[in-house]
Structure formats: C-alpha cells, structure tokens
Amino acid sequence: MAESKDPAPEKVRVGLEARSYDIQIGQGLLSNIPALFPHVSKTTLLFIVCDEHLKTQASLISKVFHNLGINVAEVVLPSGENQKCLDSASKLFDQLVNARADRKTMVLALGGGVVGDLAGFVAATYNRGLNLFMVPTTLLSMVDSSVGGKVGINHPMGKNLIGAFHQPVGVAIDINVLNSLPDREFRSGLAEVVKYGMILDAGLFGFLEANAAGILAREPGLLVKIIKRSCELKAQVVSQDEREETGLRAILNFGHTFAHAFETIGGYGAWLHGEAVAAGMVCANKLSLNRGMIDESIAARVVALLKAFNLPTDPPKLSSTSLLEVMRNDKKSVRGNLRFILAKKLGEVALFDDVTEENVKGVLSPLN
Ligand code: GLY
C-alpha cells in the first residue's frame, strides 16, 4: 500500500497517573507552537534551551511566545556530547538564577538527546523540579531520550552516571525537523528503532526490513509510523516500570552495556550513540548465540537490517580490559557483577546476571 504523503497527526499517551503526558507526533506541528503548550500562561517564564544548530528555530519560538505576552529566556549551547557535563549544567543553573526562575518556570528542551538530557537534568534539580517540555529534533531523541523521564549528564567514568527521573509535561515531535538532520544522525536514530523491534515487537522488525529503502528516503508516512510505534512501546514499558525497579525498563537498554563502554572508552562523540548501540546489539546477540538461546538466522537478520541502515555491526577495536572496567560500572550491574539484556527470540529479551567476563571478551575485538 502506498504511504500517504501527508500523514495524520498521532498522539501517544504515557500513562503515569498524575504524571501522565501526551507525545504529539505529526508533520509541521511546530508551525503552530502555542497550540502544543496548554501548560504556558502569562505567569510562566519559558526557558528555552537549544544547541547552536537550532538557534533560528528557538528565536522564532521565543518571538511567538513573547508576542503572546509570555516571559521568555533563551540559552544556546555549543553542540556535542561533551556538553552533557556538570560544567554546562552549572552554567544553566546560573542562567536560571539570572532569569529569576521560579516554580512556574517551564524548561523547553529543543534539540537532540544532549540538550534533552542536560536541560532535563537541570529542570529536575533546579528549585527541586521545574516543568519540562521536550521538543526532540533528532530521530534518536524522538524515539528514546525525550520519552520516559530519564535525564542526566555524563561522568568521565560513565555515561549518564549523574541523573534523575523527571517526566516531561509533554513531548512534541515534528517530523519536518528530520528533513535537515544529517544522514549519519538519522541512521543513528534508526538503531534505537531496530532495538524496539528486537526487544518487543517482531512485527515492527519485519516492517523495518520490508520498508528500509522508504525509511532511509524519510517518507513522512513511514516516519510517523515507526516513531509512533517506538513511542508506544517505550510508553508501555515506562508506565509499568517508571524507575527501572522490576527489571522491565532495563530491557530498553538492550545493547547499551556494550554501547556505553564503546562510547566511554572510544571517547564521547567518536561514535554516535545509535552507532554504538548497533554494534552493541550485535555483541549482545553473539552472547545469546553462544549460549544457544537464539539461532544464527535471527542474529543474521539483525546484522542485515543494521547493514541496510548503514550502521556498524562490529565492535570497535578497543582494550577489552578498559571496556570491561566501564561495564562493571554500568547502572545495571550489581556490586560490580555484569548484567546483560539478552535475546530469547525476535521480539523478546530478558535480563541475565550469569554472563562471565570471558563470555564478554569472546564477543569483543580487543586490542589486547
Ligand atoms: N533509554 C532507556 C530508558 O529510557 O530507559
């Protein structure tokens, strides 16, 4: 069936009792931005945080709200994963103080995962919590980091080691912003979409296989479909295990124990997050394969789909000793014991705590 050129807007509810919120998904949503923010009134200070690539968009939003009589402050950050640090958070705290932020302040995070995580962390902690509205502008942040309330910054010894759970009051996803997203970043986001298929939805996985060319061509109808399905799956998980207490939410970290180690040792930014997740998922599947939990054909389908999206499927050549040291610090590990999410079949994974360091070394391409 041909995809509609002008897909209808969609809404996904993240059900969390008093902290429930909607994810609005559509084409051109940002052209009527006030309609997205029923939460803003004349007593609100709207504190917009964006990176330098979104400066023009942030100014336009500022102007619209300013004309409505709303007090707006705008902070433009340099781009890059290295901004997700205590120093940047501290600068944002200073700006909030200067702007006389109070409990009615709404932080609007306009950008990718770095801006969302950093601005979200600042919103979670300033004045014991400010309202947060997410406008993700990369595919990766649309399907993952803007949804579910995980916010945080990096520590030199681990990604997202300093953070909080702080749910946004809303998320608005305008697929038009993906038109200008660099190809590498777009493909990086697709790794997280593949992850949802792998962990929860074999149907989604098959849909990605069948529509890989159209997805890479960024057909709007396909984009809305895969973003909506990814958000639905994430919302289902988050509403059942918001604070990662039962082990359910941990499945969203499939491939991420490897990925975080690749990013930490390789240097934040050397690989995009989704690229590290792609190679990490392949490593996790090799662990499952070596334990006889999945057969070769599943591992091969995952590699083929990632290759179709031009994503890495081999681990980087880094010291296994260093990678393992980072993995022991992973938030899923318990007193230094490694825990991994492993595939049982396409669309089903579980948490395992009996993977040995030897098993892990066996699926890496170490330098030593
Ligand atoms: N990105 C994993 C989670 O939100 O739990």
Side-chain angles (χ1 to χ4, degrees):
M1 199 173 70
E3 290 301 323
S4 152
K5 286 265 176 283
D6 197 7
E10 300 279 359
K11 209 178 262 189
V12 174
R13 184 88 175 149
V14 184
L16 286 165
E17 296 172 359
R19 281 163 293 103
S20 298
Y21 55 96
D22 287 329
I23 306 165
Q24 301 175 70
I25 308 159
Q27 195 170 12
L29 290 186
L30 289 179
S31 57
N32 186 12
I33 190 135
L36 302 173
F37 292 85
H39 331 75
V40 174
S41 73
K42 291 215 163 136
T43 53
T44 309
L45 163 68
L46 188 63
F47 187 82
I48 304 176
V49 184
C50 71
D51 75 21
E52 56 205 358
H53 299 305
L54 289 146
K55 214 173 147 172
T56 314
Q57 209 118 19
S59 297
L60 288 173
I61 296 174
S62 266
K63 208 173 282 169
V64 170
F65 282 105
H66 183 76
N67 291 342
L68 291 172
I70 286 155
N71 197 6
V72 187
E74 211 181 303
V75 181
V76 181
L77 301 166
S79 54
E81 180 76 23
N82 59 7
Q83 289 303 309
K84 239 177 85 172
C85 63
L86 212 43
D87 195 37
S88 302
S90 178
K91 286 186 183 132
L92 287 178
F93 291 137
D94 292 346
Q95 311 249 23
L96 280 165
V97 173
N98 291 341
R100 299 186 197 286
D102 61 14
R103 282 269 161 82
K104 291 198 165 150
T105 298
M106 157 101 68
V107 175
L108 191 168
L110 174 72
V114 171
V115 166
D117 286 6
L118 170 67
F121 174 71
V122 166
T125 45
Y126 188 84
N127 224 348
R128 298 203 176 87
L130 302 176
N131 281 336
L132 171 67
F133 195 97
M134 295 287 209
V135 181
T137 59
T138 62
L139 180 59
L140 194 129
S141 57
M142 291 173 180
V143 297
D144 186 23
S145 57
S146 69
V147 177
K150 275 190 184 175
V151 292
I153 53 178
N154 298 331
H155 181 275
M157 271 316 288
K159 214 174 136 73
N160 301 325
L161 269 186
I162 308 161
F165 289 97
H166 186 65
Q167 297 296 340
V169 295
V171 181
I173 298 176
D174 184 346
I175 60 157
N176 276 353
V177 300
L178 294 177
N179 294 337
S180 56
L181 189 69
D183 186 56
R184 189 175 164 202
E185 291 227 23
F186 180 73
R187 288 184 286 97
S188 166
L190 288 174
E192 293 282 359
V193 181
V194 172
K195 178 197 77 179
Y196 288 111
M198 186 68 222
I199 64 174
L200 285 165
D201 187 352
L204 171 63
F205 193 93
F207 185 85
L208 298 174
E209 289 178 313
N211 293 282
I215 291 167
L216 283 172
R218 308 188 196 186
E219 284 177 25
L222 291 174
L223 292 183
V224 169
K225 263 193 188 141
I226 62 171
I227 293 168
K228 181 185 177 211
R229 187 63 191 141
S230 300
C231 289
E232 276 172 353
L233 292 165
K234 179 143 189 188
Q236 279 166 21
V237 170
V238 168
S239 58
Q240 290 173 70
D241 183 21
E242 182 186 10
R243 300 178 72 89
E244 211 164 309
E245 285 160 342
T246 67
L248 178 63
R249 184 164 182 166
I251 68 171
L252 297 173
N253 283 329
F254 178 67
H256 283 60
T257 305
F258 286 103
H260 288 170
F262 298 158
E263 289 176 279
T264 306
I265 300 303
Y268 296 130
W271 261 14
L272 298 180
H273 179 62
E275 293 170 337
V277 168
M281 290 193 290
V282 176
C283 289
N285 278 347
K286 280 189 189 149
L287 286 176
S288 296
L289 198 59
N290 292 345
R291 295 161 65 106
M293 288 167 44
I294 55 169
D295 65 46
E296 184 66 53
S297 65
I298 292 180
R301 272 178 76 184
V302 176
V303 169
L305 182 56
L306 295 172
K307 279 192 197 290
F309 289 147
N310 204 4
L311 286 161
T313 54
D314 289 317
K317 291 192 177 0
L318 296 167
S319 150
S320 58
T321 311
S322 309
L323 290 171
L324 276 161
E325 199 185 330
V326 175
M327 288 186 200
R328 277 184 227 110
N329 265 338
D330 184 87
K331 288 185 286 315
K332 281 186 298 312
S333 67
V334 177
R335 284 180 294 281
N337 288 332
L338 301 173
R339 300 208 303 166
F340 283 90
I341 318 298
L342 299 181
K344 295 168 89 177
K345 61 181 189 188
L346 202 56
E348 188 181 339
V349 292
L351 187 59
F352 291 83
D353 58 10
D354 59 350
V355 176
T356 66
E357 298 201 353
E358 283 313 303
N359 298 152
V360 175
K361 281 186 182 162
V363 301
L364 293 171
S365 308
L367 271 181
N368 57 4

